[in-house]
């Protein structure tokens, strides 16, 4: 078995000569065997070994016994050992999570702290792999979930992943190693224990070698999943229009194979969330359904993320908790300056009988025919009933936005210059030719807008 573990570590490049390895040791046969094998290999590879034992505060005297056993074992091997004590039950209640899940999270957090960026070795083996595969298969998952545990994940290594429980126990007996039994491993109130003691033995009677074959299938799926992940990245780049907010080409997604559609959407969501925790197949199905619906349709996803069809795009964005700023309106004098704090701009107006305006690349400037402005001139946000004069005639401002496929969230941010309900200028987008000064203009009204930041495309 020593050679088998050595081969696994070399094949997956788990460690380099002189590395520091933090080993998670519970006191069970698997972790005792792992400690002993790494201790033997460290003499050749010059590894620096250290052990972390986690006392979860769940099993009373039995857990105290395990902690003392691991400390004595490390002392015999001349390896430094740290035992940390946790109150998993209290933390599980605080986080509203299951005890098993909380214990696992806290255990890995402790290992990461102890390792301080170095390698972490844990004792998962082939039987654990088969159990994990079956658990996920029963719960429902895709190729990535069925890939189960990887030999290497970041700085985490699993040198025993291709060794069976039987091989491990035989190794311990051959080397004269003793270990501790965790009584909770025999309690069939836990899903994993039911699979370990009931399901896998039954499958072995149906087809000898089922445990091995399940683990091998997980490894095969992991390899294939890696390939499809790389392909998925390529397709995501093809459909990606913007990362902030995450904006995807709807038609390009729909043109993909259904399997790749799902994978691309999962990868896009992972980019938005940072992980795929709490994202299920149902959420992906909802997104696929949304893609085929009309513009403007939305769905809410976990943790405040909203998906919206915006014309030919799909937008995935976290919704801001704060309320959108309310509408604003400021009267513009014939001559003077007006600060618009909501838009972060300064508006300067000047009335003259001559068109003597200097245009600058650092601001927005237009000159209007003052005699065509029949009501008070304002700089404001949009409001119901607004209209704008186009070359082809008057149109509702709302229809103008829709025709030009301007996303809903951008419409409320549009800065307008208007007289009554007539919009004469949409800053950065359009200026109504009806109100612009021409050869017949007698009074020229210059409107100059200076922004606090550089903007694109001016009108």
């Amino acid at each position: 078995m020593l050679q088998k573990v050595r081969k696994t570590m070399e094949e997956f490049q788990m460690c380099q000569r002189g590395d520091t390895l933090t080993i998670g040791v519970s006191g069970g046969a698997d972790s005792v065997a792992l400690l002993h094998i790494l201790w033997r290999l460290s003499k050749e590879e010059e590894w620096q070994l250290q052990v972390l034992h986690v006392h979860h505060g769940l099993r009373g005297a039995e857990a105290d016994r395990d902690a003392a056993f691991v400390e004595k074992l490390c002392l015999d091997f001349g390896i430094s050992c740290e035992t940390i004590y946790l109150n998993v039950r209290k933390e599980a209640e605080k986080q509203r999570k299951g005890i098993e899940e909380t214990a696992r999270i806290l255990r890995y957090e402790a290992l990461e702290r102890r390792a301080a960026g170095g390698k972490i070795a844990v004792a998962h083996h082939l039987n654990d792999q088969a159990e994990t595969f079956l658990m996920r298969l029963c719960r429902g998952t895709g190729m990535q979930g069925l890939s189960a545990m990887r030999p290497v994940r970041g700085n985490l290594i699993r040198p025993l992943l291709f060794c069976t429980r039987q091989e491990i126990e035989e190794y311990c007996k051959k080397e004269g190693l003793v270990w501790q039994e965790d009584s909770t491993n025999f309690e069939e109130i836990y899903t994993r224990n039911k699979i370990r003691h009931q399901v896998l033995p039954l499958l072995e009677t149906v087809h000898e070698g089922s445990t091995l074959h399940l683990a091998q299938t997980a490894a095969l799926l992991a390899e294939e999943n890696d390939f499809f992940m790389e392909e998925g990245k390529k397709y995501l780049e093809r459909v990606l229009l913007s990362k902030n907010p995450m904006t995807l080409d709807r038609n390009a997604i729909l043109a993909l194979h259904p399997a790749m559609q799902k994978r691309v959407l999962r990868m896009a969501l992972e980019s938005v969330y940072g992980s795929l925790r709490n994202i299920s197949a149902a959420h992906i199905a909802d997104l696929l359904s949304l893609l085929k619906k009309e513009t403007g349709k939305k769905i809410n996803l976990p943790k405040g993320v909203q998906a919206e069809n915006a014309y030919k795009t799909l937008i995935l964005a976290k919704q801001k908790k704060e309320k959108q700023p309310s509408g604003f309106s400021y009267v513009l004098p014939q001559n003077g300056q007006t600060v618009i704090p909501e838009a972060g701009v300064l508006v300067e107006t000047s009335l003259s009988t001559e068109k003597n305006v200097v245009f600058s690349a650092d601001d927005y400037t237009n000159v209007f025919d003052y005699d065509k402005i029949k009501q008070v001139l304002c700089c404001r946000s949009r409001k119901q009933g607004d209209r704008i004069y186009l070359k082809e005639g008057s149109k509702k401002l709302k229809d103008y936005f829709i025709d030009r496929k301007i996303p809903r969230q951008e419409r409320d941010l549009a800065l307008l210059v208007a007289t009554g309900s007539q919009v004469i200028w949409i800053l950065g987008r359009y200026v109504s030719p009806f109100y612009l000064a021409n050869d017949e203009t007698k009074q020229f009204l210059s409107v100059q807008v200076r922004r606090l930041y550089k903007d694109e495309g001016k009108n």
Side-chain angles (χ1 to χ4, degrees):
M1 189 172 129
L2 176 68
Q3 297 308 319
K4 188 174 186 178
V5 173
R6 186 203 302 271
K7 182 180 177 182
T8 296
M9 297 186 73
E10 290 175 353
E11 180 181 350
F12 293 96
Q13 300 178 347
M14 292 186 175
C15 295
Q16 302 296 322
R17 181 177 295 274
D19 277 352
T20 297
L21 278 66
T22 300
I23 311 168
V25 180
S26 65
D30 47 6
S31 64
V32 169
L34 176 65
L35 175 62
H36 188 260
I37 289 172
L38 294 180
W39 173 70
R40 290 175 65 183
L41 293 176
S42 68
K43 298 175 182 179
E44 305 171 20
E45 301 294 336
E46 300 179 2
W47 294 331
Q48 304 300 312
L49 306 182
Q50 57 183 15
V51 165
L52 180 71
H53 176 78
V54 179
H55 188 304
H56 298 96
L58 295 171
R59 296 183 292 120
E62 186 178 276
D64 296 337
R65 177 208 68 189
D66 290 351
F69 169 80
V70 172
E71 290 171 0
K72 174 64 167 57
L73 184 65
C74 291
L75 184 64
D76 292 342
F77 287 148
I79 299 172
S80 67
C81 176
E82 178 185 358
T83 299
I84 66 165
Y85 294 83
L86 304 173
N87 189 336
V88 171
R89 197 177 304 278
K90 180 178 179 181
E91 192 63 26
E93 293 175 356
K94 180 181 177 182
Q95 296 186 16
R96 297 182 179 179
K97 294 178 180 176
I99 288 177
E100 285 184 280
E101 181 185 8
T102 304
R104 179 180 57 80
I105 292 172
L106 295 178
R107 185 165 58 249
Y108 278 104
E109 287 178 350
L111 284 166
E112 288 288 355
R113 287 194 298 271
R114 175 70 165 158
K119 296 294 178 67
I120 297 171
V122 292
H124 293 126
H125 49 72
L126 186 143
N127 295 66
D128 293 325
Q129 183 77 303
E131 293 163 10
T132 301
F133 179 88
L134 274 181
M135 287 174 64
R136 294 183 179 180
L137 182 64
C138 294
R139 186 177 60 202
T141 186
M143 183 182 289
Q144 186 167 337
L146 292 176
S147 300
M149 296 181 288
R150 303 300 186 94
V152 177
R153 191 193 70 199
N155 64 332
L156 182 73
I157 62 173
R158 296 183 170 100
L160 304 186
L161 195 57
F162 301 101
C163 301
T164 65
R165 180 178 286 113
Q166 182 179 350
E167 287 177 314
I168 290 170
E169 292 185 359
E170 288 177 354
Y171 175 85
C172 287
K173 291 174 183 177
K174 179 183 176 182
E175 297 295 330
L177 302 170
V178 296
W179 66 87
Q180 303 299 306
E181 293 287 357
D182 182 343
S183 61
T184 61
N185 287 337
F186 300 95
E187 295 177 2
E188 295 186 359
I189 59 173
Y190 300 110
T191 302
R192 183 177 289 275
N193 288 350
K194 288 181 181 178
I195 290 176
R196 177 178 301 167
H197 300 299
Q198 296 179 22
V199 179
L200 282 176
L202 178 60
L203 288 177
E204 288 291 340
T205 66
V206 174
H207 193 292
E208 186 177 353
S210 291
T211 302
L212 172 62
H213 297 152
L214 289 171
Q216 289 174 335
T217 300
L220 177 63
L221 289 173
E223 189 176 62
E224 294 186 355
N225 184 66
D226 287 344
F227 169 76
F228 285 112
M229 283 291 288
E230 291 304 314
E231 290 299 297
K233 291 177 183 177
K234 296 176 186 176
Y235 282 105
L236 179 59
E237 285 298 320
R238 294 181 190 178
V239 305
L240 182 66
L241 300 177
S242 170
K243 289 185 178 181
N244 189 21
M246 177 66 66
T247 306
L248 309 174
D249 185 320
R250 286 169 60 193
N251 291 333
I253 296 174
L254 292 171
L256 299 176
H257 186 282
M260 191 54 70
Q261 291 176 10
K262 297 183 183 72
R263 187 170 288 271
V264 164
L265 290 174
R266 280 172 56 83
M267 295 176 76
L269 285 177
E270 185 173 17
S271 178
V272 172
Y273 283 108
S275 76
L276 286 172
R277 184 176 178 80
N278 298 321
I279 297 300
S280 68
H283 296 122
I284 303 301
D286 288 342
L287 282 176
L288 287 170
S289 177
L290 177 65
L291 283 171
K292 300 169 185 176
K293 294 181 179 179
E294 62 269 25
T295 293
K297 291 293 184 180
K298 304 177 183 179
I299 61 170
N300 292 319
L301 296 168
K303 297 183 180 180
V305 171
Q306 188 177 77
E308 179 183 5
N309 279 346
Y311 300 103
K312 295 181 180 180
T313 66
L314 174 70
I315 298 175
L316 304 170
K318 291 184 178 180
Q319 300 303 297
K320 295 181 179 180
K321 293 183 179 180
E322 63 268 17
K323 295 181 179 179
Q324 293 293 329
S326 57
F328 59 89
S329 180
Y330 294 85
V331 174
L332 300 179
Q334 294 179 352
N335 294 281
Q337 294 182 337
T338 306
V339 175
I340 315 293
E342 292 86 347
V345 300
L346 173 70
V347 182
E348 184 172 354
T349 49
S350 176
L351 183 62
S352 174
T353 56
E354 296 181 2
K355 187 178 180 180
N356 51 0
V357 178
V358 177
F359 291 89
S360 170
D362 298 325
D363 57 44
Y364 298 77
T365 303
N366 271 306
V367 182
F368 300 99
D369 188 328
Y370 183 72
D371 293 323
K372 292 181 180 179
I373 299 173
K374 304 301 182 183
Q375 299 185 51
V376 174
L377 193 67
C378 296
C379 185
R380 60 175 175 80
S381 55
R382 69 169 180 151
K383 63 183 181 181
Q384 191 172 1
D386 279 347
R387 301 187 69 86
I388 187 167
Y389 277 104
L390 308 173
K391 293 179 180 179
E392 60 270 24
S394 179
K395 175 177 284 193
K396 290 181 179 179
L397 182 64
K398 178 180 178 181
D399 292 339
Y400 168 87
F401 284 142
I402 292 174
D403 291 346
R404 282 155 181 79
K405 297 179 171 52
I406 297 173
R408 190 189 307 269
Q409 60 268 30
E410 292 184 24
R411 301 174 197 173
D412 291 329
L413 301 177
L415 184 63
L416 312 177
V417 175
T419 172
S421 62
Q422 298 296 324
V423 175
I424 70 174
W425 187 12
I426 307 173
L427 192 74
R429 292 191 182 275
Y430 185 79
V431 58
S432 174
F434 176 80
Y435 288 95
L436 284 175
N438 54 37
D439 294 340
E440 298 179 0
T441 299
K442 297 179 179 179
Q443 296 191 84
F444 298 87
L445 180 66
S446 168
V447 180
Q448 188 177 63
V449 182
R450 297 191 182 93
R451 284 194 179 276
L452 300 178
Y453 53 87
K454 188 177 181 180
D455 206 339
E456 299 178 358
K458 298 182 179 183
N459 280 301

